[in-house]
């Protein structure tokens, strides 16, 4: 097999070698130094890689390598199928990564290469889909007649139309913080997971963050020391990737530039100007060749081309801007339509689907989960509140759940800000995941039991990155009570000065949440008789859309007049997710025999919990609404009822503190009130809940009975 060396220089070819602008041979397990601290080599001196969509250079694999790759592919395929929660989630993954445009390999003959990447179509076939995806040859390819069939167009096709981007590179931006603290076996586990993600169609770009927050008060290190330290850690990451079957790692330190304040750079300065990606084609070439770029937080100044350290978070943002097409600038004589077309083409080349932060501290700590982190963060709703919690600390029940002291708080704040700034630049479909390197390494062992199954209760631990790629969800629902995920009791505090890592946090830009009344301004409480109440005629409520939400979710016609007359005098509050994609409507109900003027006897009742059918089972809309209800609106508990044959009851059972099958065989009662028990005399809060759930009159207009 011919050995290819990727080295700097003018492209001089030697026997058995080709030069493409990097420094180490493909077969090397340890990256070599790319460039010195001095000026960066001119781009004219770098031989750029071939950028055609169909790469003419074939890849050859020995028979033994193909057999090993087939074994790895089989194991990974089984892991994929077992990690996918539902068939619907598997098909959602296939719809995004399963088409030809989702492949990040160069076009190659299927008959000659069946070793390198798990075909998403093979997963589709395993799930009973139309394509088996393994060595089908040209069975499902378009015929020549189909390819040359007429196309309806009122203008001649231009060259750019005919050479439209054939596939999109799906990319994950990965930041590894404090790699110097990680053991080699942990890095090997990370490398294995990155290789698996590459096999499943998600290319990774790794950014090294070897910043030590404990050195904030010490004299800053000089540029040479910082760079050498980053190179050592980058080489360790490259070696961990190279030891796996599949992807290969490459260290890059010449793809970034930064605008400096002046010509002179002090040797201890870390620049905070805007970082830009200068050699996009090098990254695209890496994706096509199955290479994982490992980027140092080093950029070259525009004025003097001198290497200088830059914040790793700024590197992530620079990559995001570049791949999202935001950093494109217009040419002086460029037509606006041509500029739009050029930006659109660049955006179609790369889709940044994930931001992955591997941090020894783990996810963003949550006061509701004292030994863990936020499971899911809806940034549009929660960013400001979570940031305030980190800044001021948090207590609950007299227990310090988040300590505001120590350098770890700054790390969490930087991670949270990076999540917010990055996802703001990306489409709503993009997401982020923040977890510990150990979690990824431990769960990357195929065919072996996870090291710490106690952290996830009775459920088997899954690799958070693989699971998230397949489902675009957290490993556990964010609306589950902490006790359902093996979390210790609240009496055990989480102090951010300790090194006990929280769990994984899944983050999306999400959707805004409208809560009426706002619990931060006016907490939900039983109203007094002379107090004005919220009604559905409030101008802040779009009543037609609310009615559509209820009818679409339940697939039933609502008797609107009867419904309004029943709840308008007892409405407790309303929660609306996004543009009426989901919602909850709660009322204050009077138990049988209670005095309606006694606020202490009023029962909070979940009258309607609705999610549009197109949003059911995906996007986390139900979790967002339920989490807001039980943690912000009625933290002391709420009750509701559901027909026993309702298919959503399984979801309710997981989130309720208790359930009870009501007499008559029709209803099951649920509640989230902690410590609620049925006493022998039928009195107390339990009896009030039972009386309310039994006495609610339905308001459906289809004549099919209650629901």
């Amino acid at each position: 097999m011919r050995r290819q060396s990727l080295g700097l220089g003018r492209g001089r070819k030697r026997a058995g070698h080709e030069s493409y602008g990097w420094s180490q041979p493909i077969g090397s397990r340890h990256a070599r130094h790319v460039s010195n601290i001095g000026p960066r080599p001119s781009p004219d001196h770098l031989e750029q890689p071939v950028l055609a969509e169909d790469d003419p250079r074939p890849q050859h694999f020995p028979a033994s390598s193909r057999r090993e790759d087939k074994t790895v592919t089989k194991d990974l395929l089984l892991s994929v199928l077992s990690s996918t929660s539902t068939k619907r989630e598997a098909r959602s993954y296939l719809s995004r990564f399963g088409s030809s445009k989702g492949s990040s390999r160069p076009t190659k003959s299927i008959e000659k290469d069946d070793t390198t990447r798990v075909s998403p179509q093979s997963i589709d076939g395993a799930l009973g889909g139309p394509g088996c995806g393994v060595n089908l040859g040209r069975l499902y390819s378009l015929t020549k007649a189909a390819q040359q069939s007429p196309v309806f167009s009122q203008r001649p096709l231009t060259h750019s139309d005919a050479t439209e981007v054939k596939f999109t590179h799906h990319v994950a931006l990965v930041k590894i913080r404090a790699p110097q603290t990680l053991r080699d076996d942990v890095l090997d586990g990370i490398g294995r997971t990155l290789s698996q993600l590459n096999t499943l169609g998600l290319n990774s770009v790794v950014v090294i963050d070897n910043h030590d927050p404990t050195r904030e008060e010490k004299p800053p290190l000089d540029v040479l020391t910082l760079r050498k330290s980053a190179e050592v850690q980058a080489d360790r990451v490259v070696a961990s990737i190279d030891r796996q079957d599949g992807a290969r790692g490459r260290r890059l330190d010449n793809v970034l530039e930064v605008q400096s304040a002046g010509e002179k750079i002090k040797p201890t300065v870390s620049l905070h100007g805007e970082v830009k990606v200068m050699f996009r084609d090098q990254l695209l070439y890496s994706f096509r060749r199955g290479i994982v770029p490992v980027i140092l937080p080093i950029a070259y100044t525009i004025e003097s081309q001198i290497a200088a350290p830059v914040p790793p978070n700024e590197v992530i943002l620079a990559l995001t801007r570049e791949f999202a097409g935001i950093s494109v600038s217009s040419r002086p004589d460029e037509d606006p339509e041509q500029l739009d077309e050029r930006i659109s083409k660049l955006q179609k080349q790369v889709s940044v689907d994930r931001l992955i932060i591997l941090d020894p501290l783990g996810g963003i700590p949550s006061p509701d989960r004292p030994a863990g982190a936020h499971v899911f963060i809806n940034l549009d709703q929660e960013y400001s509140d979570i940031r305030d919690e980190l800044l001021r600390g948090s207590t609950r029940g007299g227990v310090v759940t988040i300590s505001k002291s120590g350098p770890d708080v700054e790390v969490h704040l930087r991670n949270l800000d990076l999540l917010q700034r990055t996802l703001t630049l990306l489409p709503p479909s993009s997401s982020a995941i923040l977890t510990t390197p150990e979690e990824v390494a431990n769960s990357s062992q195929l065919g072996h039991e996870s090291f710490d199954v106690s952290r996830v209760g009775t459920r088997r631990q899954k690799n958070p990155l693989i699971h998230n790629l397949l489902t675009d969800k957290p490993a556990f629902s964010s609306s589950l009570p902490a006790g359902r995920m093996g979390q210790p009791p609240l009496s055990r505090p989480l102090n951010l000065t300790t090194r006990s890592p929280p769990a994984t946090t899944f983050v999306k830009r999400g959707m805004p949440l409208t809560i009426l009344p706002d619990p931060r301004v006016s907490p939900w409480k039983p109203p007094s008789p002379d107090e004005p109440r919220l009604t559905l005629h409030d101008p802040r409520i779009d009543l037609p859309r609310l009615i559509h939400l209820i009818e679409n979710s339940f697939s039933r016609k609502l008797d609107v007049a009867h419904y309004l007359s029943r709840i308008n005098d007892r409405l407790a509050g309303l929660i609306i997710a996004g543009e009426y994609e989901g919602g909850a409507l709660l009322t204050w109900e009077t138990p049988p025999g209670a005095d309606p003027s006694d606020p202490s006897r009023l029962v909070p009742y979940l009258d309607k919990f609705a999610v549009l059918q197109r949003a059911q089972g995906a996007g986390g809309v139900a979790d967002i609404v339920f989490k807001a209800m039980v943690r912000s609106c009625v933290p002391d508990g709420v009750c509701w009822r559901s027909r026993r044959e309702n298919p959503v009851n399984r979801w309710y059972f997981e989130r309720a503190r208790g359930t009870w099958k009501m007499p008559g065989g029709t209803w099951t009662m649920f509640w989230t009130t902690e410590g609620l028990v049925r006493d022998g005399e039928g009195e107390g809060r339990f009896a009030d809940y039972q009386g309310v759930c039994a006495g609610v009159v339905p308001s459906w207009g289809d004549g099919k009975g209650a629901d």
Side-chain angles (χ1 to χ4, degrees):
M1 182 175 70
R2 188 172 57 176
R3 190 182 186 191
Q4 298 174 334
S5 175
L6 307 181
L8 292 175
R10 295 181 178 269
R12 183 182 60 184
K13 297 184 179 181
R14 295 175 294 175
H17 290 76
E18 295 182 16
S19 176
Y20 302 123
W22 284 289
S23 62
Q24 60 270 23
I26 283 181
S28 172
R29 297 198 172 191
H30 298 280
R32 294 203 304 263
H33 186 60
V34 175
S35 58
N36 295 323
I37 293 297
R40 173 172 53 185
S42 169
D44 297 335
H45 294 145
L46 299 178
E47 180 176 344
Q48 296 298 318
V50 178
L51 298 175
E53 294 294 341
D54 297 330
D55 194 315
R57 293 184 293 269
Q59 296 185 11
H60 303 283
F61 300 91
S64 60
S65 175
R66 287 198 296 269
R67 286 194 296 269
E68 292 175 359
D69 285 344
K70 286 181 179 180
T71 301
V72 173
T73 297
K74 179 180 178 181
D75 289 342
L76 181 56
L77 180 58
L78 294 175
S79 175
V80 164
L81 296 176
S82 63
S83 296
T84 308
S85 299
T86 65
K87 188 174 181 178
R88 178 176 181 172
E89 290 170 349
R91 295 204 178 279
S92 177
Y93 158 76
L94 291 170
S95 68
R96 187 164 181 82
F97 294 88
S99 63
S100 61
K101 71 179 181 178
S103 172
S104 55
R105 287 283 188 190
T107 303
K108 296 183 290 185
S109 172
I110 287 181
E111 294 84 0
K112 293 182 180 180
D113 182 11
D114 59 352
T115 62
T116 57
R117 186 177 287 261
V118 173
S119 169
Q121 285 79 8
S122 66
I123 304 174
D124 191 20
L127 293 168
C132 64
V134 180
N135 288 334
L136 295 181
R138 302 183 183 276
L139 182 60
Y140 289 105
S141 61
L142 292 176
T143 64
K144 183 177 181 181
Q147 292 174 338
Q148 297 179 353
S149 60
V151 177
F152 178 83
S153 178
Q154 293 180 320
R155 61 184 177 86
L157 290 177
T158 63
H159 179 71
S160 61
D161 293 327
T163 58
E164 188 67 25
V165 177
K166 293 184 179 180
F167 54 80
T168 300
H169 299 290
H170 294 277
V171 172
L173 303 180
V174 183
K175 189 184 83 163
I176 303 178
R177 195 184 73 81
Q180 66 273 16
T181 65
L182 304 179
R183 305 186 310 270
D184 287 342
D185 61 321
V186 174
L187 285 179
D188 282 345
I190 295 173
R192 185 179 303 109
T193 297
L194 295 180
S195 178
Q196 292 169 2
L197 291 176
N198 185 274
T199 303
L200 291 171
L202 186 66
N203 301 276
S204 299
V205 180
V206 179
V207 175
I208 298 298
D209 180 2
N210 61 328
H211 172 71
D212 184 0
T214 62
R215 289 192 53 88
E216 294 291 348
E217 303 299 329
K218 299 179 181 179
L221 299 176
D222 61 87
V223 174
L224 179 61
T225 302
L226 288 172
R227 176 168 182 156
K228 288 295 184 182
S229 173
E231 287 177 348
V232 170
Q233 301 309 319
D235 290 346
R236 293 179 66 213
V237 174
V238 168
S240 71
I241 299 172
D242 286 349
R243 281 191 285 267
Q244 315 306 321
D245 293 308
R248 291 291 179 263
R250 290 295 174 269
R251 167 163 62 87
L252 302 181
D253 67 351
N254 64 341
V255 296
L256 304 172
E257 74 172 11
V258 63
Q259 177 71 47
S260 64
E263 285 292 329
K264 295 183 178 180
I265 306 287
K266 295 182 179 180
T268 58
V269 168
S270 178
L271 297 179
H272 290 261
E274 185 178 73
V275 182
K276 295 182 179 180
V277 175
M278 291 306 299
F279 297 124
R280 174 192 179 98
D281 290 343
Q282 286 192 8
L283 298 174
L284 296 180
Y285 174 79
S286 298
F287 301 153
R288 275 192 280 272
R289 300 290 290 179
I291 295 172
V292 177
V294 180
I295 299 178
L296 304 183
I298 300 294
Y300 287 82
T301 59
I302 296 176
E303 294 85 354
S304 55
Q305 291 293 295
I306 299 298
V310 292
N313 286 4
E314 295 299 324
V315 178
I316 292 288
L317 289 168
L319 292 167
T320 303
R321 289 190 294 266
E322 177 64 34
F323 291 143
I326 299 175
S327 61
V328 176
S329 57
S330 61
R331 299 160 184 162
D333 57 345
E334 188 171 22
D335 184 84
E337 292 186 1
Q338 293 179 342
L339 175 62
D340 291 342
E341 183 178 354
R342 184 160 61 94
I343 293 175
S344 177
K345 186 175 180 180
L346 290 175
Q347 291 174 335
K348 291 178 181 178
Q349 287 181 340
V350 178
S351 171
V352 179
D353 295 294
R354 297 291 187 276
L355 168 63
I356 299 171
I357 302 178
L358 303 182
D359 193 312
L361 295 179
I364 305 298
S366 168
D368 295 315
R369 305 182 188 278
H374 285 275
V375 175
F376 170 66
I377 294 178
N378 176 23
L379 282 175
D380 274 358
Q381 173 206 358
E382 301 178 272
Y383 170 74
S384 298
D385 292 340
I386 294 175
R387 201 174 196 283
D388 289 343
E389 287 175 354
L390 292 173
L391 287 172
R392 69 173 183 265
S394 179
T395 60
R396 184 176 177 184
V399 177
V400 177
T401 55
I402 297 180
S403 172
K404 62 181 180 180
S405 60
D408 294 350
V409 177
E410 284 297 323
V411 174
H412 286 301
L413 286 170
R414 290 174 184 171
N415 286 338
L416 182 63
D417 290 342
L418 176 62
L419 294 169
Q420 194 271 341
R421 295 175 65 190
T422 301
L423 293 180
T424 299
L425 301 176
L426 297 174
S429 58
S430 300
S431 58
I433 187 167
L434 202 166
T435 188
T436 63
E438 290 78 10
E439 182 114 1
V440 173
N442 291 348
S443 53
S444 68
Q445 303 287 339
L446 290 177
H448 299 282
E449 293 297 327
S450 59
F451 292 170
D452 186 10
V453 298
S454 62
R455 293 186 60 187
V456 293
T458 59
R459 304 187 183 192
R460 180 183 177 186
Q461 185 180 5
K462 301 174 182 178
N463 188 312
L465 303 188
I466 301 296
H467 178 272
N468 177 254
L469 171 64
L470 299 174
T471 66
D472 197 27
K473 291 181 179 179
F476 309 100
S477 171
S478 61
S479 61
L480 284 174
R484 302 288 166 87
M485 291 182 288
Q487 299 286 359
L490 183 64
S491 58
R492 177 181 171 184
L494 172 65
N495 191 320
L496 297 188
T497 60
T498 67
R499 292 293 173 179
S500 177
T504 300
T505 298
F506 175 63
V507 185
K508 273 205 164 190
R509 193 171 72 188
M511 58 183 62
L513 204 64
T514 302
I515 304 179
L516 300 174
D518 188 343
R520 294 171 296 184
V521 178
S522 177
W524 291 19
K525 60 181 181 179
S528 58
D530 57 346
E531 184 177 348
R533 299 194 180 189
L534 177 72
T535 71
L536 292 183
H537 295 295
D538 189 288
R540 296 171 293 180
I541 300 174
D542 191 332
L543 184 57
R545 297 181 73 179
L546 177 62
I547 294 172
H548 171 73
L549 168 62
I550 296 173
E551 293 181 343
N552 179 272
S553 178
F554 286 88
S555 298
R556 300 189 65 178
K557 192 69 176 177
L558 188 68
D559 185 340
V560 178
H562 181 272
Y563 189 65
L564 293 178
S565 65
R566 181 173 71 83
I567 70 167
N568 257 343
D569 291 334
R570 61 188 72 186
L571 185 61
L574 183 68
I575 305 171
I576 295 296
E579 296 297 324
Y580 286 79
E581 297 166 69
L585 193 150
L586 288 82
T587 59
W588 293 112
E589 301 289 344
T590 303
D595 182 1
S597 62
D598 183 5
S600 64
R601 293 294 303 277
L602 294 181
V603 171
Y605 176 74
L606 175 59
D607 188 87
K608 289 290 183 289
F609 189 89
V611 178
L612 289 178
Q613 293 181 11
R614 63 177 173 82
Q616 293 178 7
V621 177
D623 283 328
I624 291 173
V625 175
F626 195 91
K627 178 181 175 182
M629 178 183 71
V630 299
R631 296 183 184 175
S632 302
C633 301
V634 284
D636 294 332
V638 62
C639 69
W640 69 97
R641 72 180 186 183
S642 176
R643 295 183 69 89
R644 292 190 183 180
E645 64 271 18
N646 191 341
V648 82
N649 282 353
R650 180 180 176 184
W651 194 85
Y652 287 151
F653 276 119
E654 288 188 333
R655 285 151 184 79
R657 296 276 185 179
T659 66
W660 184 60
K661 293 183 179 180
M662 300 175 63
T666 302
W667 302 105
T668 296
M669 182 175 74
F670 299 86
W671 64 87
T672 62
T673 308
E674 190 171 359
L676 181 71
V677 294
R678 181 185 179 189
D679 61 42
E681 299 180 1
E683 298 178 352
R685 200 63 168 171
F686 182 88
D688 289 346
Y689 281 12
Q690 177 189 358
V692 166
C693 290
V696 172
V697 179
S699 298
W700 299 112
D702 53 13
K704 295 181 181 179
D707 198 354

